[in-house]
Amino acid sequence: MGETVAGLRDELRRLIAEEVPADYLGAFTDDPSDLAVAQRFCRVLADRGLLCAAWPEEFGGRGAPVWEQTAVREEMWAHHEPRGAQYMGVNWVGPTIMRHGTPEQQHKHLPPIARGEVIWCQGFSEPDSGSDLASLRTAARRDGDGWRISGQKIWTSYATMAQWCFLLARTSPRERKQQGLTVFLVPMSDPGIQVRPIRSMLGPHHLNEVFLDGVRATEADVLGRVDEGWSVVGEVLAFERVGIARYARCERLLRSAPEVLESHWESLPAELRGRWARALTRARRARLLAYQVVSLQSAGRVAPGDAAAYRIAVTRLDQESAAVLTELAAFATGDGDRVRRFRRAVDDHWRYANAATVASGSIEIQKILLARSLLGRPRRTGEAA
């Protein structure tokens, strides 16, 4: 397996060098050509069976071992995610539909994801229910043989470009707020959906408000059982939190610093080089934690405590490495392409790292999940994940 994965990494790096511009820093910039690069590259990966390599063949994959998909994930994130928003569909929307979807939903949604043809967004957070997701107010009311959904979502990444939304809404009042929730697969083209971008230092497309006014949904749009969406969401969050290989980009940038600084490296303050070494060590530790969770998930076990431990480690790594790299970039003098690209990549990494403690679940919530796991307290039915 080791030689196979190593060969796969070589192939991925060759494809990136051939298909992705050297200055590429992600799909979600003010330049529309960056998104076009990502969409085109997804099709390149799909044509080679690499976009969803570990998916079963019946769903558009090639049944590769999960470690090959992990290698794809790492190489993509290390090189500024040239799949664009496709990682969302590949990492957790698709696998969740495989586990909980009807045959009709699987046939409808999985092949387009595997071909890199569709972008998904996530309708979870709301203005008054961020970390406390179960307190959401978006409601789905019975309307004949379906539902009408009304409410508001916020911080919805990629909503301006997505074709589908993985939407959580309340379908009935219950004693515990985690009960009575349902997942809907909703087309973003519905006339009842309005998207308003939120400008931020992360750039366009990342953050949006989504308003839902009488959005129509049918039984065919329900994922899993009505009123039991919280159990689906628990799996989603575990897959999502390990699905982005942030450690791979941290390690790549840290490893490149001595090569970029060249002769300046030896004259750096010893304290700064020590912090660089510690950050590199922690990047490798985060990688091992990710591998532990991947192994559990591949065996059919989704462990919230293990996913939380990884999330805490990689979040701290994001911010620690960003601080170290920012100081190192100040010593990178000259105006050559390599220096300029390094400084731009570090600046991009710093901006994302500042949002790391709240993205995909706040760090405080992750600590609660980890504490519960370590203390061995069983979670009561319907209790918040």
Side-chain angles (χ1 to χ4, degrees):
M1 179 60 66
E3 291 183 2
T4 301
V5 171
L8 174 60
R9 291 187 189 278
D10 289 340
E11 180 182 1
L12 290 167
R13 292 170 187 175
R14 177 182 58 78
L15 287 173
I16 291 170
E18 293 176 353
E19 303 287 344
V20 179
D23 285 338
Y24 180 85
L25 287 178
F28 313 115
T29 69
D30 289 306
D31 186 348
S33 67
D34 289 328
L35 177 60
V37 167
Q39 295 297 87
R40 183 176 66 250
F41 189 67
C42 279
R43 291 190 288 271
V44 170
L45 291 175
D47 289 345
R48 290 165 172 76
L50 297 174
L51 185 60
C52 299
W55 285 21
E57 292 184 12
E58 62 184 299
F59 297 138
R62 55 183 180 85
V66 67
W67 298 109
E68 290 190 27
Q69 191 71 56
T70 302
V72 173
R73 180 185 304 154
E74 290 176 343
E75 292 302 321
M76 295 301 105
W77 192 253
H79 293 86
H80 301 280
E81 193 50 87
R83 294 176 300 179
Q86 294 294 341
Y87 73 86
M88 188 174 289
V90 172
N91 287 351
W92 65 263
V93 173
T96 304
I97 292 174
M98 287 182 208
R99 292 169 67 90
H100 298 281
T102 64
E104 292 75 18
Q105 289 171 333
Q106 293 169 351
H107 177 75
K108 178 178 182 178
H109 292 294
L110 296 179
I113 295 175
R115 293 192 299 265
E117 295 175 350
V118 63
I119 293 175
W120 284 76
C121 64
Q122 178 192 81
F124 282 7
S125 295
E126 298 188 3
D128 297 317
S129 59
S131 296
D132 186 14
L133 177 58
S135 66
L136 61 82
R137 297 180 181 178
T138 294
R141 308 295 185 193
R142 280 287 186 181
D143 180 41
D145 60 351
W147 286 265
R148 290 287 180 179
I149 307 173
S150 296
Q152 180 185 356
K153 300 295 180 177
I154 199 167
W155 316 127
T156 308
S157 299
Y158 323 128
T160 56
M161 62 180 66
Q163 290 83 42
W164 287 89
C165 181
F166 193 100
L167 178 70
L168 185 65
R170 181 162 298 283
T171 42
S172 66
R174 293 294 178 92
E175 179 180 352
R176 294 187 180 277
K177 59 187 176 183
Q178 292 79 20
Q179 299 173 330
L181 300 172
T182 302
V183 174
F184 294 90
L185 307 178
V186 178
M188 292 296 288
S189 59
D190 188 288
I193 295 178
Q194 180 184 7
V195 179
R196 297 180 187 172
I198 301 173
R199 298 292 298 184
S200 75
M201 67 180 184
L202 296 180
H205 310 301
H206 274 282
L207 304 176
N208 304 274
E209 293 179 285
V210 178
F211 298 88
L212 304 108
D213 183 10
V215 173
R216 173 70 175 167
T218 68
E219 292 285 350
D221 301 318
V222 174
L223 183 67
R225 296 179 181 274
V226 173
D227 291 337
E228 296 182 13
W230 190 250
S231 60
V232 177
V233 169
E235 290 186 14
V236 164
L237 294 176
F239 276 98
E240 179 189 20
R241 286 164 184 163
V242 76
I244 302 175
R246 297 180 183 273
Y247 57 85
R249 185 177 304 174
C250 296
E251 183 171 343
R252 181 169 180 258
L253 289 172
L254 288 165
R255 288 174 63 89
S256 68
E259 300 172 1
V260 172
L261 268 64
E262 295 179 330
S263 60
H264 296 290
W265 182 258
E266 295 301 326
S267 60
L268 290 177
E271 183 271 345
L272 179 55
R273 282 192 291 169
R275 287 166 55 208
W276 169 84
R278 287 193 295 274
L280 188 57
T281 299
R282 287 168 183 166
R284 292 170 181 172
R285 180 181 65 183
R287 181 188 295 270
L288 292 176
L289 283 171
Y291 287 178
Q292 179 183 19
V293 180
V294 169
S295 179
L296 288 170
Q297 290 177 341
S298 65
R301 294 179 290 162
V302 179
D306 289 319
Y310 163 75
R311 183 80 180 102
I312 293 168
V314 81
T315 296
R316 289 178 171 172
L317 168 66
D318 251 350
Q319 298 189 333
E320 178 187 2
S321 63
V324 171
L325 286 162
T326 299
E327 291 188 45
L328 290 172
F331 290 90
T333 59
D335 56 1
D337 286 345
R338 190 173 191 181
V339 170
R340 179 177 54 81
R341 289 170 187 158
F342 176 74
R343 292 171 69 95
R344 289 184 66 235
V346 168
D347 177 70
D348 180 75
H349 176 57
W350 178 87
R351 286 187 288 113
Y352 277 89
N354 273 274
T357 54
V358 293
S360 302
S362 72
I363 198 69
E364 290 79 11
I365 294 298
Q366 306 311 309
K367 289 179 179 178
I368 292 172
L369 289 170
L370 179 58
R372 285 175 176 164
S373 175
L374 293 174
L375 293 172
R377 182 175 73 80
R379 190 163 62 242
R380 296 186 296 271
T381 302
E383 188 176 9

